[in-house]
Amino acid sequence: MSGLNPAQKAAVEHQNGPLLVLAGAGSGKTRVITQRIVRLLERGIPASAIVALTFTNKAAGEMGERIHKLLEGRKSAAKGLTISTFHSFGLNVLTREKRAQNTAFTIFDQGDAVGTVKEILRQVDAGKRFDVAAIMSRISNAKNAFLLPEELPDDGMDPYAEITKIVYPRYQAALRNFSAFDFDDLVCEVVRLWQARPDVLARWQEKARYLLVDEYQDTNRAQFMMLRLLAEPYRNICVVGDDDQAIYGWRGADVRNILEFEDQFSGAQVVKLEENYRSKQTILDVANAVISKRVDVRHKKHLFSSRLSDDKITIAVAPSPDAEAAYTVREIQRWIRDEGKQPKDCAVLYRSNGQAKVIEECLRTEGIAYRIVGGQQFFERKEVKDLLSYLKLTLNRSDEISLRRIMNYPARGIGDTSVERLALHAKAKGWTLWEAIERVDALDDVSEQARQGCKSLEKIVAETRKMILVEQTPASAVARALCERIGLKRDIEASSPTPNAAAKRWGNVEGLFNTLARREAKGGMEQARDISNFLHALTLDFGSDEETQGNAVTLSTLHGSKGLEFDIVHLLGCEEGFLPHQRTLEERATDAPTFAEDGGGSSKAADIEEERRLFYVGVTRARDVLVLSRCKARAMRGKPVPRTPSRFLMDIPPERFVEIEVRDEPAMSTNAGLEKANALLAMLEGLGG
């Protein structure tokens, strides 16, 4: 308990009944959650009765590490403790219950889901008229709002609403035909299982007698229903979150969950964490001033810090986006050259990905290393996904998505025409596509080349299944043997444009081997043999194996920056139309601050409130230096168009900032070649040459 402030102590010491911890930015919420778990263990609560849920594997891993560190020599006290993401927890529930029924299932990743929706659109002759991502987003929001296909509202004025009503039921039918769940199902289907089976629910309620939830402001309706069912008999639920940082309404998060917690869980105690351990007070003054204008606030917070300073933030006014980018890079160069900062200490934030292009170009020109948060995920890379598809198919031969992906990869003579003929036979005879492959000799319109390809694939899958199910070979060894069997490395080398490209792609495959090996080392042989759990966990573990940051400037959208912090933050594009975004400024049928059932804001007023919270998140990423910049004009259709300053800038007290006019000039080059040339010239001058 040493080192905790009074509010943190109150949250840690509370034991029974509902508790709402309102944790301001940088107020030490992870410390409170981990200390609270340790305190429960010290009081004799068994670890097997404690469940902690969060949103990312990184956060769950950090909690686990902190708890083990706090327990020191008593690590066995945490045996049986559940620290998990919502979706991993849902996967655990479904895996155990389906295993009890002796049934297998597959998890669709984003690519699988998109491919299925594309096929459905083709079947209903609507393939080229609609954006697949927009339809997927609507289906996801419907699931997050716990809406079945038949419960979608009618909206004849919105073509995307109408096509979603057509696609959603077919998409769900496809999932069931493939014995599959998508990412959202890992919460929704658990809730439906518990609603239908009170006996199953009771078992999981015993496992969650003490329930802790991180980032509660980001929960959607389906997650809220999961939590309410789990907490029902004991009511020992502690949620930690910050309604000031609720920024995911567009993907189904419902800020009402945290705003109305006391209504949903009567008798709840409320604790506010307002002491910030990250930022200078000047930066917090700016954040407080902007967020205090919220109209939907229920519990006001005022962040304060012991890091007092007379420094002011900078508001930079540039004539153009090019000048804004050049100024930003000049400032980063100055901090690195004159103040001893590292590139990794600096971040450039923006509202939309399109704003990154000009800053990227400027950083590249100046030879400054950078990384973009939210690049391609490791498990979405083709060669990794191909190998995972083989493993998924081996364990679940009804997984038609995985089968279609690798049926002719590497090439084995089963072309598109043969695949469609096999699919037609399967449909006519009531078989799965895999059963058509197994019975290919009975089909008379399949070419001999395709027939032999089917037999080759069948043999590969049979040999791999034997390794997994009979010989119980560890996952990493199975994956390596499978690569040898299908000649994956040879194909990568043959199909890559250069040896370096081939080495990089094969390095990704090696990365998958290493991931499997690390998991085996952590979990022992019993877990090493359970490849099904490996595959499910890998599908959910988005981003966990991304390349490390290294010493590079971070570029990120405001949404992607949540949870990060930097010494120096430049927030670009503080203009109406960017922040708040243009979509939130467009007129709607009503400006009343009501909310749609999917959890997102349904009015302009609600959307602008979320934009205000997004601005607040960006400001509170900064530890020492905050620069807000805007442009006087931006080119539209080749002509400069004047821009209006963001309304959020108007909320900042004049005594807390200094405004500067940015000159339209390039950054100061730090190009290594130029520096070497200058050094050589200086040496020659010194020699009289």
Side-chain angles (χ1 to χ4, degrees):
M1 299 292 288
S2 62
L4 296 180
N5 64 43
Q8 291 174 329
K9 284 182 181 178
V12 170
E13 286 288 3
H14 175 277
Q15 181 169 340
N16 294 322
L19 172 67
L20 170 61
V21 180
L22 292 165
S27 62
K29 68 178 179 64
T30 304
R31 187 179 188 189
V32 166
I33 294 173
T34 53
Q35 291 273 26
R36 180 176 165 82
I37 290 171
V38 171
R39 193 75 176 111
L40 290 172
L41 294 172
E42 289 174 345
R43 287 172 166 166
I45 306 300
S48 58
I50 302 173
V51 171
L53 298 177
T54 187
F55 281 86
T56 66
N57 289 289
K58 180 182 176 182
E62 183 182 344
M63 279 188 206
E65 289 172 9
R66 288 199 190 191
I67 287 168
H68 283 103
K69 188 174 181 180
L70 287 167
L71 290 171
E72 294 178 338
R74 301 170 290 144
K75 290 184 180 179
S76 60
K79 189 175 182 181
L81 175 66
T82 298
I83 304 176
S84 170
T85 65
F86 277 92
H87 294 91
S88 293
F89 179 74
L91 170 62
N92 189 23
V93 174
L94 291 172
T95 300
R96 291 195 185 189
E97 301 305 330
K98 293 290 184 183
R99 186 172 290 168
Q101 301 169 16
N102 198 28
T103 56
F105 65 88
T106 299
I107 302 174
F108 268 25
D109 61 22
Q110 188 69 10
D112 299 332
V114 166
T116 303
V117 170
K118 281 182 178 177
E119 176 61 21
I120 293 168
L121 288 172
R122 188 187 65 78
Q123 291 171 2
V124 300
D125 196 26
K128 295 183 179 179
R129 300 201 304 272
F130 295 96
D131 178 60
V132 174
I135 296 172
M136 282 302 310
S137 177
R138 286 174 180 260
I139 292 174
S140 179
N141 278 348
K143 291 189 176 190
N144 290 338
F146 206 65
L147 295 176
L148 292 167
E150 59 270 22
E151 294 173 327
L152 288 181
D154 292 316
D155 187 355
M157 302 298 292
D158 182 352
Y160 272 92
E162 292 306 298
I163 193 64
T164 301
K165 281 180 69 70
I166 294 170
V167 172
Y168 186 12
R170 288 172 169 80
Y171 174 71
Q172 285 301 97
L175 284 173
R176 300 304 165 255
N177 289 339
F178 296 150
S179 301
F181 296 114
D182 68 12
F183 195 64
D184 298 311
D185 285 337
L186 298 179
V187 175
C188 293
E189 293 306 313
V190 169
V191 174
R192 292 197 169 94
L193 171 65
W194 286 347
Q195 289 175 332
R197 293 283 305 276
D199 57 320
V200 174
L201 171 60
R203 288 202 302 272
W204 290 94
Q205 286 172 333
E206 285 301 308
K207 187 172 179 60
R209 295 202 297 274
Y210 285 85
L211 184 59
L212 299 95
V213 187
D214 188 21
E215 303 286 9
Y216 188 64
Q217 78 280 349
D218 295 337
T219 54
N220 56 44
R221 178 164 177 76
Q223 289 161 338
F224 166 74
M225 293 178 72
M226 171 187 273
L227 295 171
R228 187 169 63 179
L229 286 170
L230 267 182
E232 214 164 43
Y234 295 102
R235 302 184 75 247
N236 295 325
I237 177 170
C238 166
V239 302
V240 182
D242 184 6
D243 52 307
D244 290 336
Q245 296 187 72
I247 60 173
Y248 295 122
W250 53 277
R251 70 181 188 195
D254 192 343
V255 71
R256 293 176 302 177
N257 289 346
I258 192 167
L259 294 177
E260 299 174 5
F261 182 81
E262 295 157 276
D263 300 329
Q264 298 289 352
F265 296 93
S266 60
Q269 182 176 334
V270 179
V271 174
K272 296 182 187 178
L273 306 183
E274 298 174 289
E275 184 171 359
N276 176 287
Y277 294 94
R278 175 189 303 160
S279 307
K280 288 182 177 178
Q281 186 62 50
T282 302
I283 294 170
L284 298 182
D285 289 342
V286 171
N288 288 330
V290 173
I291 207 65
S292 67
K293 299 296 193 297
R294 272 183 61 191
V295 299
D296 62 344
V297 67
R298 181 160 179 174
H299 296 284
K300 287 196 173 183
K301 296 186 298 299
H302 187 85
L303 298 182
F304 64 93
S305 171
S306 60
R307 299 187 64 202
L308 303 179
S309 171
D310 293 329
D311 296 346
K312 295 183 179 183
I313 73 158
T314 299
I315 296 179
V317 183
S320 67
D322 287 341
E324 181 185 41
Y327 164 76
T328 300
V329 173
R330 282 200 306 273
E331 285 297 289
I332 290 172
Q333 290 171 319
R334 183 176 64 80
W335 281 103
I336 293 171
R337 185 189 64 243
D338 299 340
E339 305 295 335
K341 293 292 185 181
Q342 298 292 316
K344 65 182 179 182
D345 299 326
C346 307
V348 182
L349 309 181
Y350 34 82
R351 176 63 177 84
S352 303
N353 278 311
Q355 294 171 258
K357 185 173 182 290
V358 64
I359 196 78
E360 277 191 77
E361 290 172 354
C362 199
L363 287 168
R364 274 201 301 266
T365 299
E366 300 307 315
I368 299 175
Y370 67 91
R371 63 139 187 174
I372 300 177
V373 172
Q376 185 184 28
Q377 305 292 354
F378 177 76
F379 296 113
E380 287 297 305
R381 290 165 184 159
K382 180 184 182 303
E383 51 278 359
V384 175
K385 197 166 180 181
D386 289 336
L387 185 51
L388 289 175
S389 293
Y390 268 102
L391 292 170
K392 288 179 182 179
L393 176 66
T394 299
L395 290 171
N396 179 11
R397 288 166 293 183
S398 298
D399 184 353
E400 189 170 320
I401 292 290
S402 294
L403 174 55
R404 282 179 177 268
R405 182 180 182 90
I406 53 84
M407 190 183 291
N408 198 42
Y409 180 78
R412 55 175 61 89
I414 312 174
D416 291 344
T417 301
S418 297
V419 171
E420 290 311 307
R421 285 177 180 169
L422 288 165
L424 287 171
H425 280 295
K427 187 174 182 180
K429 300 179 186 300
W431 298 341
T432 64
L433 185 56
W434 180 258
E435 287 171 330
I437 288 174
E438 289 181 316
R439 302 169 189 180
V440 68
D441 281 337
L443 308 178
D444 53 11
D445 60 346
V446 178
S447 70
E448 183 59 28
Q449 189 179 25
R451 201 183 306 276
Q452 293 304 317
C454 288
K455 290 180 178 180
S456 171
L457 178 60
E458 189 181 356
K459 182 180 179 183
I460 289 168
V461 170
E463 290 172 345
T464 308
R465 280 179 68 83
K466 181 182 176 184
M467 288 185 75
I468 296 171
L469 301 177
V470 179
E471 299 168 359
Q472 295 190 320
T473 308
S476 58
V478 171
R480 288 183 183 277
L482 180 57
C483 281
E484 286 290 324
R485 221 169 256 135
I486 64 177
L488 185 59
K489 188 173 185 180
R490 288 194 305 275
D491 186 84
I492 286 174
E493 290 171 344
S495 61
S496 298
T498 65
N500 282 342
K504 186 173 182 180
R505 290 181 62 199
W506 181 250
N508 291 333
V509 178
E510 290 280 0
L512 179 58
F513 296 156
N514 294 337
T515 299
L516 291 167
R518 285 198 302 272
R519 290 175 181 268
E520 290 165 8
K522 278 185 179 180
M525 285 308 296
E526 183 178 347
Q527 194 179 59
R529 295 180 184 123
D530 193 346
I531 296 181
S532 176
N533 273 348
F534 268 124
L535 292 175
H536 289 160
L538 287 172
T539 305
L540 294 183
D541 209 9
F542 296 123
S544 66
D545 283 76
E546 286 182 342
E547 292 86 358
T548 55
Q549 175 180 345
N551 194 14
V553 174
T554 295
L555 307 186
S556 175
T557 63
L558 288 167
H559 285 101
S561 72
K562 189 165 177 289
L564 305 177
E565 56 184 78
F566 306 91
D567 289 355
I568 300 159
V569 168
H570 283 257
L571 175 48
L572 309 184
C574 296
E575 306 151 25
E576 295 288 292
F578 274 147
L579 192 60
H581 195 278
Q582 185 61 39
R583 285 193 302 268
T584 70
L585 304 177
E586 294 168 356
E587 291 296 332
R588 296 177 182 243
T590 174
D591 280 350
T594 56
F595 290 83
E597 277 302 309
D598 67 4
S602 65
S603 72
K604 187 171 77 171
D607 290 342
I608 288 176
E609 287 303 293
E610 183 154 314
E611 294 289 301
R612 182 180 297 279
R613 297 193 292 266
L614 193 57
F615 184 85
Y616 172 87
V617 166
V619 168
T620 54
R621 298 311 92 198
R623 285 190 284 253
D624 302 323
V625 177
L626 174 65
V627 180
L628 308 175
S629 62
R630 66 178 180 88
C631 294
K632 291 181 179 180
R634 290 182 186 269
M636 293 208 176
R637 296 176 184 172
K639 296 181 180 179
V641 176
R643 304 289 294 183
T644 304
S646 169
R647 66 192 66 193
F648 305 138
L649 296 181
M650 306 299 107
D651 296 330
I652 301 173
E655 66 272 16
R656 291 291 177 263
F657 70 88
V658 57
E659 185 171 283
I660 65 168
E661 291 282 336
V662 172
R663 297 188 304 275
D664 199 352
E665 60 185 45
M668 299 171 290
S669 180
T670 58
N671 183 276
L674 183 60
E675 288 181 354
K676 287 179 181 177
N678 288 337
L680 180 60
L681 285 171
M683 183 181 72
L684 290 172
E685 288 174 1
L687 294 172

